[in-house]
Amino acid sequence: MLCTVFLVSAQNIFAQGSDFLLLKKGDRTLRHYLAGQHIEFTSSTGAYHNALITNIKNDSVFLQEFLIQRIPTTYGGFIIDTAGSFRFVYNYRDILYLGRIERKNFNVAGSGGALLGGGTLLTLASAVVWVVDRESFSPVLMASGAGLAGLGYLMSRAGSKPITIGKKKYRLEYLNMQTEN
């Protein structure tokens, strides 16, 4: 009897999925953005947002951004507290830059930072050797250290750039999932 009542009432249940955005490079989909996910972007007005997507509807992205404070305690630690939240609505075409895509393979920015630090240290050590003992000084080693530091700087800059919508064939595509009755 209970199964019959459930089956009869279940035929009138409808589920409506939210619209969503796709980040594409050429024909390949790199990432999708749905309601309930976080998005990090800079808009056409220059405003930076790291917010929760509450809804995507009619070419608009509805966001909720939280204001978080670190409050010091009397014991020397900190309590993280949400001081408030703000709601924003943006047309998906107003998104100019997206945050970095998390890559699980090679981290260009991290490797660049390691090369920058190591090359700087090698250059400074060579300078100390030149001041203290000029017979043991190697100009090739100092030039190599400076070159590695420069390469590391360039790699760290290249790895931390946001994705620019419209350049290198990156684009945001809005998919309307609303059915018309």
Side-chain angles (χ1 to χ4, degrees), residues 3-151:
C3 287
T4 308
V5 172
F6 176 73
L7 291 175
V8 170
S9 64
Q11 67 185 352
N12 292 328
I13 296 174
F14 296 100
Q16 179 61 50
S18 174
D19 299 346
F20 58 96
L21 296 174
L22 296 176
L23 173 64
K24 289 192 163 191
K25 182 176 182 181
D27 293 333
R28 198 176 85 194
T29 300
L30 299 178
R31 184 153 188 196
H32 60 278
Y33 294 97
L34 303 166
Q37 291 182 333
H38 277 78
I39 188 168
E40 181 180 3
F41 70 93
T42 303
S43 71
S44 59
T45 60
Y48 168 79
H49 293 286
N50 186 358
L52 176 71
I53 300 173
T54 57
N55 197 7
I56 300 174
K57 187 176 183 181
N58 298 332
D59 293 351
S60 297
V61 181
F62 295 83
L63 305 170
Q64 184 175 14
E65 190 168 7
F66 297 97
L67 177 62
I68 298 174
Q69 289 182 317
R70 291 179 58 189
I71 301 171
T73 64
T74 56
Y75 302 109
F78 289 96
I79 296 173
I80 297 176
D81 187 26
T82 304
S85 68
F86 306 99
R87 294 192 178 265
F88 301 99
V89 179
Y90 280 96
N91 190 308
Y92 82 97
R93 291 180 196 98
D94 291 337
I95 298 174
L96 292 184
Y97 303 104
L98 285 174
R100 287 179 283 145
I101 295 176
E102 297 176 20
R103 298 181 187 205
K104 296 180 181 173
N105 48 11
F106 186 69
N107 185 353
V108 175
S111 298
L115 274 177
L116 176 63
T120 304
L121 185 64
L122 192 59
T123 304
L124 289 175
S126 293
V128 169
V129 168
W130 182 74
V131 170
V132 174
D133 185 16
R134 292 198 178 162
E135 291 179 6
S136 299
F137 173 70
S138 171
V140 175
L141 187 61
M142 186 175 200
S144 299
L148 286 176
L151 179 65

